[in-house]
């Protein structure tokens, strides 16, 4: 049985599953693969409300309104008019392209605002009739390209209406057309990243130069946070992260993450400075995830020591803000160390194990922050899995996840690093987290860690094994994921 949610063979552990080999340019891939990539980009941008789609009129529902709207006699929602402040997006409300979108995962409320540099006047509504308001037609080059891609994809996917295959020459024309659109989109994203990066550097300089105006310092810090969030939206794409290396963008980002930001330190600006650190750490971590060239480029900036200093320093801001900085610092370290031997060696040589595990000592006084425990556990898992990789007799993608972990168990027991982890409290951390788990995700994360360390840690305390046994009995054997988790916990109890 296997964990369906993680599929046992994650992309990070299975290079064979990567779509393109490292260093391969997406523009050199077979045209149909390129089309799939473009379709994926369009779909992703549609998910982020970058494309305006109008309701198609239906023969039974005039003006394209839904049956529910007609039944309740409700008018359609007005056009969304973006500003520089977050606003709630109403259900069914059309959102202009290119905005900054966020979604509250707990309440389901979507909000939107303008990206840096956008003009609110570009999104003022016009009316084509007295009762049919529309947003202004898309005016940006990006919006026009997206409007071009949609019909081209529809023609390519659907083909002629008579069901016959599309003419190969037409397919080639559409392929070349979309390749040009793709290339133009990449160029625009590079331009946006460069402009954001230049603005970020200037804002950082202005914050350091401002020694008197507290209100101006607040505005500068808030704008800096906004620019970093906008850069994060772009950096998740692998190619964009690698292009940022060419722009030499990681040195100023590391400075924002770990060095002084503002010359004014007041009770108001200090939390904002911590938020800037946090936002910069997220950009760094997002760029490095499963992206070895970027990991190596960031490692050349010697980031480990300053990040360790940041997460170890005393907290002089509200606890919630401080915990976010520490959590994102651990995320950034995990992204840097994962599957990167040189980074892991530097981490251990800089006493990173002692620094990060010292967080466990602090958390024991207030162990309610399970998110921090999970980030710390993930970092330790990455170190253990990498340390034992050279001694594996089978490659990762040939094994199910549980087999993979069980093969690692004796290898972990023969290393010095796990013994140091035990000395620093990792076994106690895993036992505590399992005994106080809140959801199945916690059971999986800490169950895997405890299984890896099963020959290093002392026998599991009776109250912890009892908690795990009860959790195992409650899992649904007919659910594929829960059955896989049940198998993991049973293996842990038998270890």
């Amino acid at each position: 049985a296997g964990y369906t949610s993680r599929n046992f063979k994650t992309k990070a552990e299975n290079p064979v599953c990567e779509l393109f080999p490292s260093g391969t340019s997406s523009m050199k891939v077979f045209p149909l693969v390129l089309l799939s990539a473009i379709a994926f980009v369009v779909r992703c941008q549609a998910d982020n409300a970058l494309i305006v789609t109008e309701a198609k009129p239906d023969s039974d529902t005039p003006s394209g309104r839904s049956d529910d709207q007609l039944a309740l006699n409700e008018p359609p929602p007005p056009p969304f008019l973006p500003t520089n402040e977050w606003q709630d997006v109403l259900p069914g409300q059309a959102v202009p392209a290119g905005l900054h979108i966020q979604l509250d995962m707990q309440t389901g409320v979507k909000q939107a605002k303008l990206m840096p540099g956008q003009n609110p006047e570009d999104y003022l509504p016009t009316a084509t009739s007295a009762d049919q308001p529309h947003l202004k037609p898309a005016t940006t080059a990006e919006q026009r390209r997206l409007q071009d891609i949609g019909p081209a994809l529809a023609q390519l996917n659907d083909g002629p209406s008579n069901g016959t295959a599309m003419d190969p020459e037409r397919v080639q024309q559409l392929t070349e057309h979309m390749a040009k659109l793709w290339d133009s989109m990449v160029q625009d994203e590079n331009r946006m990243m460069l402009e954001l990066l230049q603005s970020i550097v200037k804002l950082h300089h202005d914050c350091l130069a401002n020694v008197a105006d507290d209100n101006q310092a607040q505005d500068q810090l808030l704008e800096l946070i906004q620019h970093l969030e906008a850069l994060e939206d772009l950096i998740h794409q692998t190619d964009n992260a690698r292009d940022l290396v060419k722009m030499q963008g990681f040195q100023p980002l590391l400075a924002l993450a770990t060095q002084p930001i503002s010359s004014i330190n007041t009770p108001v600006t200090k939390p904002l400075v911590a938020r800037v650190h946090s936002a910069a750490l997220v950009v760094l971590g997002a760029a490095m995830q499963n992206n070895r060239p970027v990991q190596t480029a960031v490692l050349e900036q010697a980031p480990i020591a300053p990040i360790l200093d940041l997460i170890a320093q005393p907290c002089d801001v509200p606890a919630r803000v401080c915990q976010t900085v520490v959590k994102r610092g651990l995320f950034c370290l995990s992204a840097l160390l994962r599957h990167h031997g040189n980074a892991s060696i530097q981490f251990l040589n800089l006493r990173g194990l002692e620094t990060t595990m010292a967080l466990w000592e602090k958390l024991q006084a207030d162990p309610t922050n399970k998110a921090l425990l999970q980030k710390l556990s993930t970092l330790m898992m990455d170190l253990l899995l990498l340390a034992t990789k050279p001694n594996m007799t089978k490659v990762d993608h040939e094994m199910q996840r549980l087999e993979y972990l069980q093969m690692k168990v004796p290898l972990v027991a023969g290393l010095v690093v796990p013994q140091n982890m035990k000395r620093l409290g990792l076994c106690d951390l895993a036992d505590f987290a399992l005994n106080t788990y809140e959801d199945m995700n916690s059971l999986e994360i800490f169950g895997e860690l405890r299984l890896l360390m099963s020959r290093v840690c002392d026998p599991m305390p009776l109250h912890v094994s009892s908690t795990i046994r009860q959790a195992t009995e409650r899992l649904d054997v007919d659910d594929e994921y829960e059955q896989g988790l049940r198998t993991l916990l049973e293996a842990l109890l038998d270890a």
Side-chain angles (χ1 to χ4, degrees):
Y3 307 86
T4 304
S5 67
R6 296 182 59 178
N7 198 27
F8 266 104
K9 295 164 279 192
T10 64
K11 178 183 177 183
E13 294 164 354
N14 184 3
V16 175
C17 292
E18 294 187 8
L19 181 58
F20 305 120
S22 177
T24 301
S25 171
S26 60
M27 294 303 298
K28 298 179 182 178
V29 182
F30 187 75
L32 290 181
V33 178
L34 173 61
L35 298 183
S36 300
I38 295 173
F40 175 76
V41 170
V42 174
R43 189 164 57 251
C44 289
Q45 294 191 345
D47 290 341
N48 286 284
L50 291 176
I51 300 175
V52 179
T53 55
E54 298 179 355
K56 295 181 179 179
D58 187 280
S59 58
D60 298 325
T61 55
S63 302
R65 295 167 60 186
S66 68
D67 292 335
D68 291 339
Q69 288 176 323
L70 291 175
L72 297 174
N73 197 27
E74 293 182 357
F80 184 84
L81 302 180
T83 66
N84 291 316
E85 303 297 329
W86 289 110
Q87 300 181 76
D88 290 349
V89 178
L90 301 176
Q93 191 172 35
V95 179
L99 300 184
H100 191 179
I101 307 293
Q102 70 176 9
L103 177 66
D104 189 318
M105 299 304 293
Q106 294 183 340
T107 64
V109 174
K110 181 192 289 185
Q111 293 184 314
K113 66 177 181 179
L114 294 170
M115 295 281 278
Q118 290 179 329
N119 186 353
E121 295 182 0
D122 289 341
Y123 297 92
L124 293 177
T126 60
T128 57
S129 66
D131 61 348
Q132 186 70 20
H134 290 281
L135 295 178
K136 285 181 67 176
T139 57
T140 66
E142 180 181 4
Q143 290 169 323
R144 287 195 298 270
R145 282 196 306 277
L146 292 175
Q147 291 174 342
D148 288 342
I149 289 176
L153 281 175
Q155 291 184 53
L156 190 61
N157 290 334
D158 298 339
S161 57
N162 59 11
T164 60
M166 184 180 290
D167 180 64
E169 183 177 351
R170 179 58 178 158
V171 171
Q172 181 64 24
Q173 291 174 352
L174 288 172
T175 301
E176 294 174 356
H177 175 59
M178 288 193 292
K180 292 177 181 178
L181 293 173
W182 171 263
D183 184 57
S184 182
M185 289 174 64
V186 170
Q187 291 177 12
D188 260 19
E189 288 184 345
N190 284 343
R191 177 184 53 77
M192 291 172 62
M193 288 196 301
L194 184 59
E195 291 175 353
L196 284 169
L197 192 61
Q198 291 170 340
S199 298
I200 286 169
V201 171
K202 183 180 183 302
L203 282 167
H204 190 188
H205 178 269
D206 292 344
C207 287
L208 291 173
N210 179 15
V211 295
D213 193 333
D214 188 40
N215 290 330
Q216 185 183 30
Q218 295 178 42
D219 293 340
Q220 289 169 337
L221 291 168
L222 287 170
E223 189 175 358
L224 196 50
I225 294 168
Q226 185 183 40
H227 279 62
L228 287 167
E229 290 175 346
L231 183 59
E232 182 202 348
D233 290 340
L234 295 169
I235 212 67
H236 283 282
Q237 187 173 328
T238 300
D239 289 341
N240 285 349
R242 295 180 182 181
D243 288 337
L244 196 61
V245 173
K246 302 173 186 176
M247 299 175 192
Q248 299 182 339
F250 287 103
Q251 186 173 359
L253 288 173
L254 183 62
L256 282 173
T258 60
Q259 296 177 13
I261 295 173
S262 176
S263 299
I264 299 177
N265 292 309
T266 67
V268 176
T269 60
K270 282 183 178 180
L272 292 176
V273 167
R275 287 178 57 192
V276 172
H277 287 317
S278 180
L281 287 167
V282 169
V283 175
L284 287 169
M288 290 186 291
Q289 281 193 310
N290 300 321
N291 201 334
R292 189 174 183 85
V294 177
Q295 286 176 296
T296 302
V298 173
L299 187 62
E300 292 174 354
Q301 305 296 327
I304 296 177
I307 294 177
L308 289 174
D309 290 341
L310 178 68
I311 65 177
Q313 68 184 14
C315 184
D316 59 352
V317 296
R320 179 179 57 82
V321 178
C322 186
Q323 288 173 352
T324 300
V325 173
V326 173
K327 182 171 66 175
R328 291 182 172 176
L330 291 174
F331 161 69
C332 189
L333 286 172
S334 291
L336 175 61
L337 303 186
R338 188 166 297 132
H339 305 292
H340 202 293
N342 290 339
S344 299
I345 291 172
Q346 288 190 29
F347 175 82
L348 295 173
N349 289 340
L350 291 168
R351 297 183 62 79
L353 192 59
E354 288 76 8
T355 301
T356 51
M357 283 305 301
L359 296 172
W360 166 234
E361 299 178 9
K362 299 178 183 179
L363 288 171
Q364 289 182 82
D366 181 22
T368 57
N369 195 326
K370 296 299 178 61
L372 263 181
L373 288 180
Q374 290 189 11
K375 293 294 182 185
L376 186 55
S377 172
T378 300
L379 180 60
M380 298 300 111
M381 280 282 291
D382 289 338
L383 286 170
L384 291 172
L385 294 176
L386 181 63
T388 54
K389 193 176 184 69
N391 298 318
M392 294 291 289
T393 59
K394 297 171 67 175
V395 292
D396 299 354
H397 65 271
E398 293 178 348
M399 292 177 286
Q400 296 292 330
R401 179 75 177 181
L402 183 56
E403 179 191 1
Y404 173 68
L405 294 174
Q406 288 175 323
M407 186 172 288
K408 293 273 189 180
V409 170
L411 301 178
V412 167
L415 299 176
V416 174
V417 171
Q419 299 293 338
N420 290 335
M421 290 180 175
K422 175 186 177 182
R423 175 177 56 83
L424 294 169
L426 186 61
C427 298
D428 295 334
L429 181 157
D431 287 341
F432 167 80
L434 286 169
N435 192 54
T436 58
Y437 77 94
E438 296 177 346
D439 50 37
M440 287 187 286
N441 187 52
S442 298
L443 280 175
E444 181 181 345
I445 291 173
F446 296 108
E448 288 191 349
L449 176 63
R450 190 59 169 83
L451 178 62
L452 270 184
M453 294 283 290
S454 57
R455 297 193 187 180
V456 178
C457 298
D458 295 330
M460 190 180 297
L462 181 61
H463 67 282
V464 178
S465 59
S466 176
T467 299
I468 295 175
R469 191 168 286 106
Q470 293 174 13
T472 303
E473 294 172 353
R474 287 194 289 268
L475 293 171
D476 184 0
V477 295
D478 295 325
D479 182 277
E480 187 176 357
Y481 171 74
E482 293 190 25
Q483 176 57 36
L485 181 56
R486 182 187 182 103
T487 304
L488 168 69
L489 296 180
E490 288 173 347
L492 175 59
L493 291 172
D494 293 337

